[in-house]
Amino acid sequence: MTINEIKQLLDAEVICGDNLEREVLSACGSDMMSDVLAYVKDQAALLTGLVNAQVIRTAEMMDMIAVVFVRSKKPGQDIIELARESGMVVLATPKRMYEACGILYSNGLKGNGEINE
Amino acid sequence: MSDELTFHFDVDGENFTSAGHASVKVKKILRELGLDPETIRKVSIAMYEGEINMVIHAGGGEADVSVDDKGVTIVLKDSGPGIEDIDKAMEEGFSTAHDNIRSLGFGAGMGLPNMKRYSDEMNIESTVGEGTTITMKVYY
Ligand SMILES: Nc1ncnc2c1ncn2[C@@H]1O[C@H](COP(=O)(O)OP(=O)(O)O)[C@@H](O)[C@H]1O
Ligand SMILES: [Mg+2]
């Protein structure tokens, strides 16, 4: 699934980043960054309701390519700046965590634990 | 690479927002050195968790990273409260972090287990009241 498809499925707004045609292979939804850090998968996206600099750094450390903030949470300028520096695409969706994850999953985007274990 | 390259960072313990800064820099340096992505990812995640721990549990500290022909060594040194029971601290889910830390996305008790998971060797030296030094090695 491309980042652009995620954007459309979630009615999301692009906060920063271009290259929306990049392929996302799996996703992870969590507000606990250490849980995210526990399982590395390539080209993943992170869905989270937490908005701070550590979300972007966590995604960057994991080589993730996109962060989706749920429930229309908007990151501040400092966070956007960090995301830009690391080349991360950042989206914001009005949907809640459960719904956002459910939509992506039912459209074929697998969880972090399910691909190439 | 036969010579050893070393990098030093001060980790500010006052500021949670900047925590992880050193790890981001190290990731950038290792990329520029052309190390393989898997090694870079393991080093970055292990160091990032350790750096966060120094900020939330120990009031900051110092990080030294060295790169040689076998791998990358990370030494994280702080003068914080120390770890009373290292075996207990290593358990998944064990945490003494306050709720305000949990609301920032950390404090799930997964940091040390993650550091162990991503490093090939990890050694913790800690004395209560004096501080903690954690050495991690990631081989190519
Ligand atoms: N540098 C440190 N100095 C003092 N205590 C530490 C340090 N690192 C870890 N600890 C202790 O070990 C526990 C477990 O650490 P960790 O697995 O990273 O979980 P968390 O950081 O989520 O609490 C911490 O809650 C803390 O009590
Ligand atoms: Mg921790």
Coordinates of all heavy atoms in Angstrom, one line a residue, chain B residues 83-133:
Chain B
I83 N 21.2 1.3 39.6 CA 20.1 0.3 39.5 C 20.3 -0.7 40.6 O 21.4 -1.3 40.7 CB 20.2 -0.4 38.1 CG1 20.0 0.6 37.0 CG2 19.0 -1.5 38.0 CD1 20.2 0.0 35.6
E84 N 19.3 -0.8 41.4 CA 19.4 -1.7 42.6 C 19.5 -3.1 42.3 O 20.4 -3.8 42.7 CB 18.2 -1.4 43.5 CG 18.5 -1.5 45.0 CD 17.3 -1.0 45.8 OE1 17.1 0.2 45.9 OE2 16.5 -1.9 46.2
D85 N 18.5 -3.6 41.4 CA 18.5 -5.0 41.1 C 18.5 -5.1 39.5 O 17.4 -4.9 38.9 CB 17.2 -5.6 41.7 CG 17.1 -7.1 41.4 OD1 17.8 -7.6 40.5 OD2 16.3 -7.8 42.1
I86 N 19.6 -5.4 39.0 CA 19.8 -5.4 37.5 C 18.9 -6.5 36.9 O 18.3 -6.2 35.9 CB 21.3 -5.5 37.1 CG1 22.0 -4.3 37.6 CG2 21.4 -5.7 35.6 CD1 23.5 -4.3 37.3
D87 N 18.9 -7.7 37.5 CA 18.0 -8.8 36.9 C 16.6 -8.3 36.8 O 15.9 -8.6 35.8 CB 18.1 -10.0 37.8 CG 19.5 -10.7 37.6 OD1 20.2 -10.4 36.6 OD2 19.9 -11.5 38.5
K88 N 16.1 -7.7 37.8 CA 14.7 -7.2 37.9 C 14.5 -6.1 36.8 O 13.5 -6.1 36.1 CB 14.4 -6.6 39.3 CG 13.0 -6.3 39.5 CD 12.4 -7.1 40.6 CE 10.9 -7.1 40.5 NZ 10.4 -8.4 40.2
A89 N 15.5 -5.2 36.7 CA 15.4 -4.1 35.7 C 15.3 -4.6 34.3 O 14.7 -4.0 33.4 CB 16.5 -3.1 35.9
M90 N 16.0 -5.8 34.1 CA 16.0 -6.4 32.7 C 14.7 -7.1 32.3 O 14.5 -7.4 31.2 CB 17.2 -7.4 32.7 CG 18.6 -6.9 32.6 SD 18.9 -5.8 31.3 CE 18.5 -6.8 29.9
E91 N 13.8 -7.3 33.3 CA 12.6 -8.0 33.0 C 11.7 -7.1 32.1 O 11.6 -5.9 32.4 CB 11.8 -8.3 34.3 CG 12.4 -9.5 35.0 CD 11.7 -9.8 36.4 OE1 10.6 -9.2 36.6 OE2 12.3 -10.5 37.2
E92 N 11.0 -7.7 31.1 CA 10.1 -6.9 30.3 C 9.0 -6.5 31.2 O 8.4 -7.2 31.9 CB 9.6 -7.8 29.2 CG 10.6 -8.1 28.1 CD 10.0 -8.6 26.8 OE1 8.8 -8.7 26.7 OE2 10.8 -8.8 25.9
G93 N 8.7 -5.2 31.1 CA 7.5 -4.6 31.9 C 7.9 -4.0 33.2 O 7.1 -3.3 33.8
F94 N 9.1 -4.3 33.7 CA 9.5 -3.7 35.0 C 10.0 -2.3 34.7 O 10.8 -2.0 33.9 CB 10.7 -4.5 35.6 CG 11.1 -3.8 36.9 CD1 10.4 -4.0 38.1 CD2 12.2 -2.9 36.9 CE1 10.8 -3.3 39.3 CE2 12.6 -2.2 38.0 CZ 11.9 -2.4 39.2
S95 N 9.3 -1.3 35.5 CA 9.7 0.1 35.3 C 9.4 0.8 36.6 O 8.4 0.6 37.3 CB 8.8 0.7 34.2 OG 9.1 2.1 34.2
T96 N 10.3 1.8 36.9 CA 10.1 2.6 38.1 C 9.7 4.0 37.6 O 9.6 5.0 38.4 CB 11.3 2.7 39.0 OG1 12.4 3.3 38.2 CG2 11.7 1.4 39.5
A97 N 9.5 4.2 36.3 CA 9.1 5.5 35.7 C 7.8 6.0 36.2 O 6.9 5.2 36.5 CB 9.1 5.4 34.2
H98 N 7.7 7.3 36.3 CA 6.4 7.9 36.8 C 5.4 8.0 35.6 O 5.8 7.9 34.5 CB 6.7 9.3 37.3 CG 7.6 9.3 38.5 ND1 7.1 8.9 39.7 CD2 8.9 9.6 38.7 CE1 8.1 8.9 40.6 NE2 9.2 9.4 40.0
D99 N 4.2 8.2 36.0 CA 3.1 8.2 35.0 C 3.3 9.3 34.0 O 2.9 9.2 32.8 CB 1.7 8.4 35.7 CG 1.3 7.1 36.4 OD1 1.8 6.1 36.0 OD2 0.4 7.2 37.2
N100 N 3.9 10.4 34.4 CA 4.1 11.5 33.4 C 5.0 11.1 32.3 O 4.9 11.5 31.2 CB 4.6 12.8 34.1 CG 6.0 12.6 34.7 OD1 6.3 11.6 35.3 ND2 6.9 13.6 34.5
I101 N 6.0 10.2 32.6 CA 6.8 9.6 31.6 C 6.1 8.7 30.6 O 6.2 8.7 29.4 CB 8.0 8.8 32.2 CG1 8.9 9.8 33.0 CG2 8.8 8.1 31.2 CD1 9.6 10.8 32.2
R102 N 5.1 7.9 31.3 CA 4.3 7.0 30.4 C 3.4 7.8 29.5 O 3.2 7.4 28.3 CB 3.5 6.1 31.3 CG 4.1 4.7 31.4 CD 3.3 3.8 32.3 NE 3.5 4.1 33.7 CZ 4.6 3.7 34.4 NH1 5.5 2.9 33.9 NH2 4.7 4.0 35.7
S103 N 3.0 9.0 29.9 CA 2.2 9.8 29.0 C 3.0 10.4 27.9 O 2.5 10.9 26.9 CB 1.4 10.9 29.8 OG 2.3 11.8 30.3
L104 N 4.3 10.3 28.0 CA 5.2 10.8 26.9 C 5.6 9.6 26.0 O 6.4 9.8 25.1 CB 6.4 11.4 27.5 CG 6.2 12.7 28.3 CD1 7.4 13.1 29.1 CD2 5.8 13.8 27.4
G105 N 5.1 8.4 26.3 CA 5.4 7.3 25.4 C 6.5 6.4 25.8 O 6.8 5.4 25.1
F106 N 7.1 6.6 27.0 CA 8.1 5.7 27.5 C 7.7 5.2 28.9 O 6.7 5.6 29.4 CB 9.5 6.4 27.5 CG 10.0 6.5 26.1 CD1 9.7 7.6 25.3 CD2 10.8 5.5 25.6 CE1 10.2 7.6 24.0 CE2 11.3 5.5 24.3 CZ 10.9 6.6 23.5
G107 N 8.6 4.4 29.5 CA 8.2 3.9 30.8 C 7.4 2.6 30.8 O 6.7 2.3 31.8
A108 N 7.5 1.9 29.7 CA 6.7 0.6 29.6 C 7.6 -0.6 30.1 O 7.2 -1.7 30.1 CB 6.3 0.4 28.2
G109 N 8.8 -0.2 30.5 CA 9.7 -1.3 31.0 C 10.3 -2.2 29.9 O 10.6 -3.4 30.1
M110 N 10.4 -1.6 28.7 CA 10.9 -2.4 27.6 C 12.2 -1.9 27.1 O 12.8 -2.4 26.2 CB 9.9 -2.2 26.4 CG 8.5 -2.9 26.6 SD 8.7 -4.7 26.7 CE 9.0 -5.0 24.9
G111 N 12.7 -0.8 27.7 CA 14.0 -0.2 27.2 C 15.2 -1.1 27.3 O 15.8 -1.4 26.3
L112 N 15.5 -1.6 28.5 CA 16.6 -2.5 28.7 C 16.5 -3.8 27.9 O 17.4 -4.2 27.3 CB 16.9 -2.8 30.2 CG 17.4 -1.6 31.0 CD1 17.5 -1.9 32.5 CD2 18.8 -1.2 30.6
P113 N 15.3 -4.4 27.9 CA 15.1 -5.6 27.1 C 15.3 -5.3 25.6 O 15.9 -6.1 24.9 CB 13.6 -6.0 27.3 CG 13.3 -5.5 28.7 CD 14.1 -4.2 28.8
N114 N 14.9 -4.2 25.2 CA 15.2 -3.8 23.8 C 16.6 -3.6 23.5 O 17.2 -4.0 22.5 CB 14.4 -2.5 23.4 CG 13.0 -2.7 23.0 OD1 12.5 -3.9 22.8 ND2 12.2 -1.6 22.9
M115 N 17.3 -3.0 24.4 CA 18.8 -2.8 24.3 C 19.5 -4.1 24.2 O 20.4 -4.3 23.4 CB 19.3 -2.0 25.5 CG 18.9 -0.5 25.4 SD 18.9 0.3 27.0 CE 20.6 0.5 27.3
K116 N 19.0 -5.1 25.0 CA 19.6 -6.4 25.0 C 19.3 -7.1 23.6 O 20.1 -7.8 23.0 CB 19.0 -7.2 26.1 CG 19.4 -8.7 26.1 CD 20.2 -9.0 27.4 CE 20.8 -10.4 27.3 NZ 22.1 -10.4 27.8
R117 N 18.1 -6.9 23.2 CA 17.6 -7.6 21.9 C 18.4 -7.1 20.7 O 18.8 -7.9 19.8 CB 16.1 -7.2 21.7 CG 15.5 -7.8 20.5 CD 14.0 -7.5 20.4 NE 13.2 -8.2 21.5 CZ 12.4 -7.5 22.3 NH1 12.2 -6.3 22.2 NH2 11.7 -8.2 23.2
Y118 N 18.7 -5.8 20.7 CA 19.4 -5.3 19.5 C 20.9 -5.3 19.5 O 21.6 -5.1 18.5 CB 18.9 -3.8 19.2 CG 17.5 -3.8 18.7 CD1 16.4 -3.4 19.5 CD2 17.1 -4.4 17.5 CE1 15.1 -3.4 19.1 CE2 15.8 -4.4 17.1 CZ 14.8 -3.9 17.9 OH 13.5 -4.0 17.4
S119 N 21.5 -5.5 20.7 CA 22.9 -5.5 20.8 C 23.4 -7.0 20.8 O 22.7 -7.9 21.3 CB 23.5 -4.8 22.0 OG 22.9 -5.3 23.2
D120 N 24.6 -7.2 20.4 CA 25.1 -8.6 20.4 C 25.8 -8.9 21.8 O 25.8 -10.0 22.2 CB 26.2 -8.8 19.3 CG 25.5 -8.7 17.9 OD1 24.5 -9.3 17.7 OD2 26.0 -7.9 17.1
E121 N 26.2 -7.8 22.4 CA 26.8 -8.0 23.8 C 26.3 -6.8 24.6 O 26.3 -5.7 24.1 CB 28.3 -8.0 23.8 CG 28.9 -9.3 23.5 CD 30.4 -9.2 23.4 OE1 31.0 -8.3 24.1 OE2 31.0 -9.8 22.5
M122 N 25.9 -7.0 25.8 CA 25.6 -5.9 26.7 C 26.0 -6.1 28.1 O 25.9 -7.2 28.6 CB 24.0 -5.7 26.6 CG 23.5 -4.6 27.6 SD 21.9 -4.2 27.1 CE 21.1 -4.1 28.7
N123 N 26.6 -5.1 28.7 CA 27.1 -5.2 30.0 C 26.7 -4.0 30.8 O 26.8 -2.9 30.4 CB 28.7 -5.3 30.0 CG 29.2 -5.4 31.4 OD1 28.8 -6.2 32.2 ND2 30.1 -4.5 31.8
I124 N 26.1 -4.3 32.0 CA 25.6 -3.2 32.9 C 26.5 -3.2 34.2 O 26.6 -4.2 34.9 CB 24.1 -3.3 33.3 CG1 23.3 -3.5 32.0 CG2 23.7 -2.2 34.1 CD1 21.8 -3.7 32.3
E125 N 27.1 -2.0 34.4 CA 27.7 -1.9 35.7 C 27.0 -0.7 36.4 O 26.9 0.4 35.9 CB 29.2 -1.4 35.5 CG 30.2 -2.6 35.4 CD 31.5 -2.1 35.0 OE1 32.1 -1.3 35.7 OE2 32.0 -2.5 33.9
S126 N 26.6 -1.0 37.6 CA 25.8 0.0 38.3 C 26.0 -0.1 39.8 O 26.1 -1.1 40.4 CB 24.3 -0.2 38.0 OG 23.6 0.9 38.4
T127 N 26.2 1.1 40.4 CA 26.3 1.2 41.9 C 25.3 2.2 42.4 O 25.3 3.3 41.9 CB 27.7 1.7 42.3 OG1 28.7 0.8 41.6 CG2 28.0 1.5 43.8
V128 N 24.5 1.7 43.3 CA 23.4 2.6 43.9 C 24.1 3.8 44.5 O 25.0 3.7 45.2 CB 22.6 1.8 44.9 CG1 21.6 2.8 45.6 CG2 21.8 0.7 44.2
G129 N 23.6 5.0 44.1 CA 24.1 6.2 44.6 C 25.3 6.8 43.8 O 25.7 7.9 44.0
E130 N 25.8 6.0 42.9 CA 27.0 6.5 42.2 C 26.7 6.6 40.7 O 27.2 7.5 40.0 CB 28.2 5.5 42.4 CG 28.8 5.7 43.7 CD 30.0 4.8 43.9 OE1 30.6 4.3 42.9 OE2 30.4 4.6 45.1
G131 N 26.0 5.6 40.1 CA 25.7 5.7 38.7 C 25.7 4.4 38.0 O 25.9 3.4 38.5
T132 N 25.6 4.5 36.7 CA 25.4 3.4 35.8 C 26.2 3.5 34.6 O 26.3 4.6 34.0 CB 23.9 3.2 35.4 OG1 23.2 3.1 36.6 CG2 23.7 1.9 34.6
T133 N 26.9 2.5 34.2 CA 27.6 2.5 32.9 C 27.2 1.2 32.1 O 27.3 0.1 32.6 CB 29.1 2.4 33.0 OG1 29.6 3.6 33.8 CG2 29.9 2.4 31.7

